[in-house]
Amino acid sequence: DGGITQSPKYLFRKEGQNVTLSCEQNLNHDAMYWYRQDPGQGLRLIYYSQIVNDFQKGDIAEGYSVSREKKESFPLTVTSAQKNPTAFYLCASSRGSDSYEQYFGPGTRLTVT
Amino acid sequence: LAKTTQPISMDSYEGQEVNITCSHNNIATNDYITWYQQFPSQGPRFIIQGYKTKVTNEVASLFIPADRKSSTLSLPRVSLSDTAVYYCLVGGPSGSARQLTFGSGTQLTVLP
């Protein structure tokens, strides 16, 4: 089955630690995205990548980093510089960055204490 | 970016048709209108997209008036499983993902 996977589903970390969230897709999509969602809120774009070895900051990139070494993988690192890291993180992909049909993964719920 | 305004919440009963309207007064010429559905603790799912007039697929219809300053998502004969948050997005085909902005959405609750 083609799709987009994120792991783990739940993640707990101590404050001050960096943590990396995994996102993999086998849809052969060029573009990939990371969003953050807080309770009762919409999604906010963290980073996106239109092609391998290229990525751009979204609206709330501070305290996050990404890499795109392979087409199918787009990991997100939440660094200790992110002031409020506890949130629901969603990864998505699309055929191209101008496609409005984005396919979302199941999400990772990160809790930092 | 074209800002969108949607009702915060709506209630309906099973079997009824539901219409959710979105305002986007500053929509640009190249902008498309896209709707997503999201269930709790899941990623959003694409429902429908349109540019003008009417678009219909197997799950919904999208009505866009001539001035394109608003759009209406129509869900025919809703069921309990349609209870979800619905997002209206407006964005242009510039090649930039920054053009897609998810607002707070509309919480639709379908009652038995």
Side-chain angles (χ1 to χ4, degrees):
Chain A
D1 284 338
I4 182 164
T5 58
Q6 293 183 244
S7 61
K9 189 164 179 61
Y10 298 96
L11 191 54
F12 298 89
R13 280 293 183 271
K14 294 288 188 187
E15 198 172 316
Q17 293 179 335
N18 291 355
V19 59
T20 298
L21 281 58
S22 167
C23 178
E24 304 277 333
Q25 55 99 359
N26 61 3
L27 300 166
N28 200 33
H29 284 170
D30 287 320
M32 296 187 74
Y33 313 81
W34 273 105
Y35 293 89
R36 169 187 172 133
Q37 187 172 35
D38 293 290
Q41 304 296 314
L43 282 68
R44 291 184 290 168
L45 183 65
I46 305 173
Y47 268 99
Y48 66 100
S49 169
Q50 299 183 50
I51 198 168
V52 173
N53 292 323
D54 180 71
F55 49 83
Q56 306 294 328
K57 293 182 179 180
D59 297 321
I60 55 165
E62 185 175 347
Y64 300 97
S65 66
V66 293
S67 63
R68 186 87 186 277
E69 297 176 3
K70 298 186 296 182
K71 186 175 186 178
E72 57 271 20
S73 178
F74 191 39
L76 173 75
T77 297
V78 184
T79 74
S80 57
Q82 169 49 232
K83 297 192 187 320
N84 297 297
T86 295
F88 188 46
Y89 290 89
L90 288 156
C91 179
S93 69
S94 66
R95 289 186 187 85
S97 59
D98 59 351
S99 168
Y100 301 97
E101 186 169 357
Q102 295 186 9
Y103 294 77
F104 283 81
T108 291
R109 191 167 298 280
L110 173 65
T111 302
V112 177
T113 58
Chain B
L1 292 176
K3 181 177 165 54
T4 60
T5 303
Q6 304 174 232
I8 294 174
S9 64
M10 295 180 68
D11 289 344
S12 181
Y13 290 95
E14 278 193 292
Q16 289 188 333
E17 178 185 75
V18 170
N19 296 309
I20 306 174
T21 297
C22 178
S23 294
H24 28 79
N25 291 320
N26 297 323
I27 189 168
T29 303
N30 290 337
D31 284 346
Y32 282 73
I33 300 153
T34 311
W35 286 81
Y36 280 80
Q37 174 194 56
Q38 186 180 26
F39 297 111
S41 297
Q42 293 186 26
R45 182 178 72 102
F46 173 92
I47 301 175
I48 198 167
Q49 176 189 298
Y51 183 80
K52 61 180 180 181
T53 62
K54 176 184 174 182
V55 180
T56 298
N57 62 22
E58 62 276 8
V59 299
S61 294
L62 179 60
F63 298 92
I64 306 167
D67 66 6
R68 304 200 328 121
K69 293 184 184 300
S70 67
S71 59
T72 299
L73 175 73
S74 181
L75 305 172
R77 297 180 298 283
V78 294
S79 64
L80 297 176
S81 62
D82 292 317
T83 293
V85 177
Y86 292 82
Y87 295 98
C88 165
L89 284 71
V90 172
S94 69
S96 169
R98 298 179 70 115
Q99 296 284 333
L100 286 184
T101 300
F102 285 78
S104 298
T106 297
Q107 171 67 58
L108 172 66
T109 302
V110 179
L111 305 168

